Amino acid sequence: MDGQDRMERIVSLAKRRGFIFPSSEIYGGINGFWDYGPLGVELKRNIKDAWWHDTVRCPPPGPDGKPIEMVGLDCSIIMNPKVWEASGHLAGFTDPRIDCKQCKARFREDQLLRPFLKVLTSLPESGQMFDAMNLVTSDPPQTIPVLVDQPNREELQSVVRQFLNSKRAKVIERPQAPPVMGSAFFVVDGQKVFFLGLDLAGTVQAGELCPLCRGELTEARDFSLMLATNIGAMQDSASTAYLRPETAQGIFANYRNVLDTSRLKIPFGIAQIGKAFRNEINPRNYTFRSREFEQMEIEFFCHPSDADTWYEYWRDSRFQWYVQHGLKSDKLRLRNHEEDELAHYAASCADIEYEFPFGTSELEGIANRTDFDLKQHQEASDRDLTYFDDETKERYIPHVIEPSGGVDRAALAFLCEAYDEDEAPDDKGVMRKRTVLRFHPRFAPIKVAVFPLVRKDGMPEKARAIYARVRASLASFYDEKGAVGRRYRRQDEAGTPFCITVDGQTLEDRTVTVRDRDSLAQERIAADEVLDYVRGRL
RNA sequence: GCGGGCGUAGCUCAGUGGUAGAGCGCAACGUUGCCAACGUUGAUGUCGUGGGUUCAAGUCCCAUCGCCCGCUCCA
């Protein structure tokens, strides 16, 4: 079963069992939006509740072994647009773009471009990274005319492919801010560096020809990754507001309020779970890249000199959180960003990545954002966002460590990790395929299902009584229809860890069986102890 | 955003111009004492949507929306 096949089975199961539906499906759906069904909403809620408990209410002890201070927050999705000016999102999200109608290259209106291929003869050692922007803007290295004067897109790509296939090249992934689409660069044998890309050589305007292929260009078009809306009845530019593209800025905007009302001392963290929106160009990979998604974020404020310690603390403890909840396979990875792929606001950054069936992608990023955000907001708002330490009499802007995870991505990862097919015997002892979701019990949408073995001899009555008791404190499900084996299998597909069955013996000695989802083993316990038993194993 | 593929029942899919189907699933009843049992019965489709061609369109054409793959992008 390859990745695509596995993913299709997971998507199919998720739809069939009510985990995830396409949004507004009866109208043909809408690209980049998804709904969570009855089982999906329980899964997601369990993830969020676990996160909230494990980071806000009862976080792990700090690096010094002492308890750490955390509080929660729930900000509005729409904020004063000045927030996004200060954070840099507005500028970064709204560069007008010009597309080439022929070769489909995309340019920024006010920048750019001439294709080139450069060979640097005295450069870094094999594997060493370097800054693409510096390469472009520093003294022009030797340029060799490997390509024709006006290479088209296919030619550019084919040259890149040749290098990649030659295995002489080490590709540096995710170069920082390549000037435009289509650029790539790599190191060859520690001897020469090739940079293939587009030069910053003037501007392109609508009406001109494409510098790549001499094709026709489109008009400049706004290309915003923030979803906009209008406040009030009048729709003009003054009424434009944005759906937040991340929850973090709401925390920074409230940093002063929280500090003034909570008697917190540095270091402390503010956590928030909430929806965020990005107008992704190309939503893909099921729910992984959606236009509407939910984040669970912490902004942890600390003294600048402690930032590295807290960064490592959060990076490692967040990684462990995923491990503890079932992503313990080798599919989970911690990837530290190299210096040249760091965002402008981050001093260091690590991604917690998971190997989904469609590829390895980020679940959560942990960044040392330094004092960038608070400084930006202090300047833009003209409010004092410094912190005064009464003990040391020191005044400073705290540095911020940000663990920022995607709830939907976590849900998808746990779903993918949980999906399994194994074999179990049918009533005649023949091995049959079984589909089972091996969720961590904490995340299982249904914790316990209660069945009568058959629908007679008063078993349903006993079973319903037990169900009434357990549902008061655990997500539970009652089923008496059809054969018990079928009911077990249905719960396997939902990921229910425990099935309680009332049988003939129950009527004699008030015991029931507890069937384990993963081992299929059954244990007989007193009916009155069912609740404690299940709780003890969650 | 570009290119390719695909949209038919809840799921997986068959159906190349002439009465919309199969398997599984789902529901009801009966049977059934531990892992997708059996029997009987039943429900579910504007064939993604809109337009066109045709006596006749699930089928051919156009557009559009959605999904998948590749490219691109991911501040």
Side-chain angles (χ1 to χ4, degrees):
Chain A
M1 182 167 50
D2 64 12
Q4 188 179 339
D5 189 26
R6 179 177 171 83
M7 200 59 216
E8 281 170 9
R9 293 187 197 197
I10 291 168
V11 170
S12 170
L13 175 69
K15 171 79 189 296
R16 192 171 73 243
R17 296 309 308 262
F19 281 92
I20 296 168
F21 306 128
S23 170
S24 39
E25 193 188 12
I26 61 171
Y27 291 104
I30 176 166
N31 194 1
F33 298 89
W34 300 89
D35 295 340
Y36 288 82
L39 292 180
V41 69
E42 294 287 348
L43 169 64
K44 214 175 143 181
R45 185 175 298 273
N46 290 340
I47 291 170
K48 287 187 284 185
D49 286 350
W51 184 89
W52 193 264
H53 176 270
D54 296 346
T55 62
V56 180
R57 294 186 172 161
C58 188
D64 54 2
K66 291 179 185 165
I68 65 179
E69 288 198 290
M70 293 287 301
V71 293
L73 192 64
D74 187 13
C75 305
S76 65
I77 286 171
I78 292 174
M79 293 184 265
N80 189 313
K82 287 176 181 171
V83 168
W84 308 115
E85 278 178 37
S87 69
H89 287 84
L90 204 47
F93 273 149
T94 54
D95 293 335
R97 305 298 175 98
I98 294 177
D99 291 343
C100 173
K101 292 178 183 173
Q102 183 171 301
C103 73
K104 313 305 178 191
R106 167 168 298 144
F107 310 107
R108 297 192 183 186
E109 183 181 29
D110 55 352
Q111 281 184 352
L112 291 271
L113 27 120
R114 193 181 312 134
F116 64 92
L117 179 63
K118 289 169 179 175
V119 177
L120 308 181
T121 49
S122 58
L123 246 161
E125 295 175 13
S126 184
Q128 185 172 348
M129 306 271 183
F130 60 93
D131 187 323
M133 295 305 286
N134 287 340
L135 189 62
V136 173
T137 55
S138 63
D139 288 343
Q142 181 190 356
T143 301
I144 56 167
V146 174
L147 302 177
V148 295
D149 284 338
Q150 298 293 347
N152 63 29
R153 191 175 190 74
E154 281 75 28
E155 284 171 317
L156 287 169
Q157 289 179 343
S158 114
V159 169
V160 171
R161 281 205 192 87
Q162 279 176 22
F163 274 105
L164 301 191
N165 293 335
S166 74
K167 303 206 171 170
R168 290 183 299 133
K170 173 181 171 64
V171 181
I172 300 168
E173 296 176 3
R174 301 201 213 183
Q176 177 187 11
V180 291
M181 287 165 57
S183 56
F185 58 123
F186 27 81
V187 177
V188 182
D189 282 345
Q191 297 299 318
K192 296 176 178 179
V193 173
F194 294 80
F195 179 76
L196 175 64
L198 296 161
D199 208 346
L200 293 165
T203 62
V204 156
Q205 289 175 356
E208 293 186 352
L209 294 180
C210 173
L212 273 182
C213 72
R214 315 309 293 169
E216 191 186 347
L217 296 174
T218 63
E219 297 292 314
R221 295 179 291 200
D222 274 346
F223 194 77
S224 175
L225 286 184
M226 278 201 293
L227 284 166
T229 187
N230 285 277
I231 309 299
M234 300 298 289
Q235 296 198 2
D236 54 34
S237 61
S239 71
T240 300
Y242 302 92
L243 307 187
R244 64 183 178 198
E246 63 175 30
T247 55
Q249 297 304 325
I251 296 178
F252 296 129
N254 277 292
Y255 155 80
R256 186 84 251 170
N257 280 338
V258 173
L259 199 55
D260 290 346
T261 55
S262 306
R263 304 181 59 220
L264 289 163
K265 283 186 194 170
I266 297 275
F268 68 91
I270 305 178
Q272 172 164 225
I273 296 177
K275 287 284 183 82
F277 303 80
R278 292 185 198 184
N279 198 7
E280 297 286 354
I281 303 165
N282 191 0
R284 204 166 276 198
N285 288 334
Y286 200 34
T287 58
F288 183 83
R289 176 163 293 126
S290 303
R291 290 184 163 131
E292 174 177 345
F293 55 98
E294 203 158 11
Q295 291 183 304
M296 34 195 192
E297 285 194 318
I298 300 165
E299 305 301 333
F300 195 82
F301 301 89
C302 64
H303 189 277
S305 63
D306 295 334
D308 288 340
T309 304
W310 284 107
Y311 166 73
E312 285 168 20
Y313 165 83
W314 279 112
R315 182 192 63 193
D316 297 342
S317 81
R318 289 304 304 148
F319 186 86
Q320 283 307 314
W321 190 83
Y322 290 99
V323 174
Q324 282 159 15
H325 290 96
L327 301 189
K328 60 188 165 224
S329 71
D330 55 359
K331 294 198 176 88
L332 193 64
R333 280 169 215 140
L334 185 62
R335 193 176 68 81
N336 294 307
H337 284 210
E338 300 295 338
E339 244 175 65
D340 67 344
E341 64 173 317
L342 291 174
H344 59 282
Y345 50 72
S348 42
C349 185
D351 283 347
I352 297 172
E353 297 182 330
Y354 178 73
E355 188 185 325
F356 289 95
F358 49 78
T360 299
S361 296
E362 177 188 351
L363 288 183
E364 175 160 345
I366 296 90
N368 176 356
R369 299 179 67 111
T370 69
D371 57 0
F372 176 84
D373 302 277
L374 288 179
K375 231 186 213 168
Q376 289 287 115
H377 286 298
Q378 176 166 278
E379 283 173 25
S381 67
D382 204 23
R383 300 294 177 95
D384 178 13
L385 299 182
T386 57
Y387 175 82
F388 183 72
D389 187 323
D390 278 312
E391 289 177 30
T392 64
K393 308 301 179 194
E394 186 185 2
R395 181 175 292 280
Y396 60 94
I397 293 183
H399 280 212
V400 174
I401 309 303
E402 176 193 79
S404 170
V407 181
D408 308 86
R409 290 179 174 191
L412 185 58
F414 287 118
L415 185 63
C416 290
E417 181 78 19
Y419 184 87
D420 194 20
E421 294 171 6
D422 66 2
E423 293 201 323
D426 65 10
D427 64 325
K428 296 177 184 63
V430 181
M431 296 308 280
R432 306 280 296 261
K433 191 185 106 174
R434 178 178 78 128
T435 300
V436 55
L437 293 179
R438 304 187 191 277
F439 287 124
H440 187 288
R442 203 177 181 190
F443 292 157
I446 300 169
K447 308 300 186 201
V448 54
V450 184
F451 309 144
L453 183 59
V454 289
R455 251 197 308 173
K456 61 183 195 184
D457 299 339
M459 292 182 205
E461 289 75 9
K462 295 274 185 208
R464 280 193 214 108
I466 292 172
Y467 171 60
R469 254 193 358 260
V470 294
R471 78 180 301 195
S473 48
L474 290 174
S476 310
F477 187 80
Y478 176 79
D479 195 358
E480 60 177 37
K481 304 291 174 60
V484 72
R486 176 184 294 267
R487 285 177 253 151
Y488 286 145
R489 298 302 171 86
R490 272 198 282 246
Q491 292 307 310
D492 290 339
E493 279 196 341
T496 307
F498 305 108
C499 292
I500 309 294
T501 302
V502 167
D503 58 13
Q505 196 175 330
T506 307
L507 309 174
E508 296 164 16
D509 63 8
R510 295 191 52 78
T511 61
V512 295
T513 62
V514 182
R515 179 258 197 189
D516 181 88
R517 175 195 66 199
D518 297 327
S519 68
L520 304 180
Q522 283 180 291
E523 197 175 335
R524 183 163 285 277
I525 63 168
D528 293 338
E529 292 165 12
V530 162
L531 196 54
D532 289 338
Y533 176 89
V534 173
R535 273 184 178 148
R537 294 191 54 181
L538 288 180

